Amino acid sequence: MYLIERYIIAEIGRLVMIIVGFLIFMFACYSSQRYLTEAANGTLALGVVFDVVFYKVIIALEMLLPIGLYVSIAVALGQLYSDSEITALFAAGAAPTKIYNSVLVLAIPLGILVTVLSLYGRPWAYAKIYQLEQQSQSELDVSHFQANKFNTSDDGRMVLASRINKDENHLTDALIYTNSGGNTSVYRAHSVDVIDPSPSSPSVLLRSGTSYVLDRTGTFDKRQTFNNLKMDLKPIIQDIEVRRKSASVAELARSSDPGDTAELQWRQSRGITAVLMAFLAIFLSKIKPRQGRFSTLLPLTMMFTAIYYGGNLTRTLVSNNSLPAMPGLWVVPFIMLIVVLLFIAHELSLLKRFFR
C-alpha cells in the first residue's frame, strides 16, 4: 500500500475509533439510565439491567458504526482540505482514486461487519433481550419486587406487599390491582403464594382477603370475601414487532408477510448503505482552504437525515404493502449509488480538464 493511502487511512481510522467509542459510551449510558429507572420502579430485575444494556449496544452497532465512519471520513478529509494537503496531492499528480481506495479499505470490512451484525447479531440480541425481559417482567416473578412499594408491570398491573419472601415466592399483606376490559379489579389478601410463575400460564393463590371488581361502564360492581382464591393471570404474549426483530433470516425469507419482507430487506441493505454513506462523505468533505473542518457538519447532517428517514419511510411503506417488495427498501441505496456515481463522474471530468 502506498504512503498516501496509509496516511489517509490512519487519519480516518483514528477518528473512527474515537467517534464510535464515544457513541457507544453515550448510548450505553442512556440505556443504563433507562433500565435502571425500570429496575428502581420494580418493573425489571436489577440483575439483568447490564445484560440488557450489552445486547442493546450490539443492536445499535449497525447504526453507530456507519455513522462513526461517515463522520470520520468527512472530518478527516475536511481537515486535509482545510490544510490544503489534498490540493497539494492533486497538484503533485495524485488521482482522486487514491482517496477512494483509502476509504474502501475501511468501508468494505466495516460494511461486511455491519451486514453480519444486522443479519445475525441484531436478531440474536433482540431474542436475548426479550427472554430476559419476559423472565424479569413476569407478573409472578417476585425477585425484583420491593416491599411497601407499588411494583408495576407493562400491562398496568400493580402489586403492593408489606413483606416479600423472594425464596418462597410469598407475599404478606398484599394488594393487587389489575385493569382489563371495562373492569378494574382490586384484591386485598393476608398472603399470596405463587403457584405457577411461568409466563405462559401464571397463577397465584390468595388467602384470607377481599376482592373488588369495579364496572367502569355501569353499576355492576362486585365485592367478595374469600379464604382461598386462585387467580389465573393473563399470560405474557410476545409482541409481533419483537417477534419480527428476533426472527432469523430463514424465517423471514419463508414468510409472505409484508412486514417480514421489510425487516429482511432492512437487514440486507445495512452493509451496502454503510459503504455508500462512506463514499458520500468523501464528496461532502470538500471545503475551501482555512474554512474549518467542521463546516461540513450541516450538509453531513442533512444527508444522513435524508438517508435515515428515507429508509424508515420505505420500510413503513413496504410493511403496509403500499410499496412493492421490489424495489422495496432498495430504493434508497439505489438512489445513493446513482448520486455516488454522478459525483465520481464529475470528479474525473474535472481532473481531465485540470491536466489539459
Side-chain angles (χ1 to χ4, degrees), residues 349 351-356:
S349 64
L351 187 66
K352 290 178 181 179
R353 293 178 185 178
F354 180 78
F355 284 107
R356 282 179 181 175

Side-chain angles (χ1 to χ4, degrees), residues 47-56 129 132:
V48 306
V49 168
F50 294 105
D51 290 334
V52 173
V53 171
F54 171 73
Y55 294 129
K56 280 289 187 180
I129 289 175
L132 289 172

Side-chain angles (χ1 to χ4, degrees), residues 100-256:
Y100 304 156
N101 293 337
S102 303
V103 170
L104 279 175
V105 169
L106 294 172
I108 290 180
L110 185 137
I112 294 173
L113 177 59
V114 169
T115 300
V116 172
L117 284 171
S118 187
L119 290 176
Y120 305 105
R122 181 169 170 265
W124 172 78
Y126 268 117
K128 288 293 186 179
I129 289 175
Y130 171 70
Q131 182 181 1
L132 289 172
E133 289 184 341
Q134 186 186 48
Q135 291 172 354
S136 66
Q137 288 186 350
S138 171
E139 292 84 355
L140 304 182
D141 179 13
V142 302
S143 62
H144 62 281
F145 280 9
Q146 301 181 37
N148 299 312
K149 184 177 180 179
F150 279 106
N151 302 276
T152 62
S153 62
D154 287 343
D155 63 355
R157 179 176 284 113
M158 293 187 291
V159 178
L160 175 68
S162 60
R163 291 190 300 277
I164 301 174
N165 189 328
K166 298 181 180 180
D167 296 327
E168 299 180 1
N169 285 341
H170 180 83
L171 308 178
T172 302
D173 192 17
L175 177 71
I176 301 176
Y177 168 91
T178 64
N179 189 0
S180 61
N183 295 328
T184 297
S185 302
V186 180
Y187 302 87
R188 179 67 186 271
H190 176 69
S191 65
V192 177
D193 291 305
V194 177
I195 300 175
D196 186 358
S198 66
S200 58
S201 57
S203 60
V204 294
L205 179 63
L206 285 72
R207 303 179 187 275
S208 303
T210 306
S211 67
Y212 304 89
V213 180
L214 308 178
D215 183 7
R216 297 196 304 271
T217 60
T219 58
F220 297 99
D221 299 337
K222 297 179 182 179
R223 179 182 182 276
Q224 178 184 1
T225 302
F226 57 84
N227 292 322
N228 295 290
L229 176 63
K230 180 183 178 183
M231 289 180 57
D232 294 318
L233 302 177
K234 185 169 58 177
I236 297 178
I237 301 175
Q238 185 178 14
D239 183 78
I240 186 171
E241 284 299 322
V242 176
R243 181 202 63 79
R244 182 171 292 145
K245 290 178 180 179
S246 61
S248 66
V249 174
E251 291 173 339
L252 294 175
R254 289 193 299 266
S255 174
S256 59

Side-chain angles (χ1 to χ4, degrees), residues 66 69-70 73 103-104 107-108 110-111 269-284 303 307 329-341 343-344:
L69 180 62
Y70 177 70
I73 291 172
V103 170
L104 279 175
I108 290 180
L110 185 137
S269 62
R270 292 307 88 199
I272 297 174
T273 301
V275 175
L276 293 173
M277 283 177 60
F279 267 93
L280 289 173
I282 296 175
F283 309 114
L284 293 174
M303 178 63 73
I307 294 170
L329 270 74
W330 296 104
V331 169
V332 175
F334 182 71
I335 295 174
M336 293 172 65
L337 177 61
I338 292 176
V339 173
V340 168
L341 293 177
F343 272 124
I344 293 176

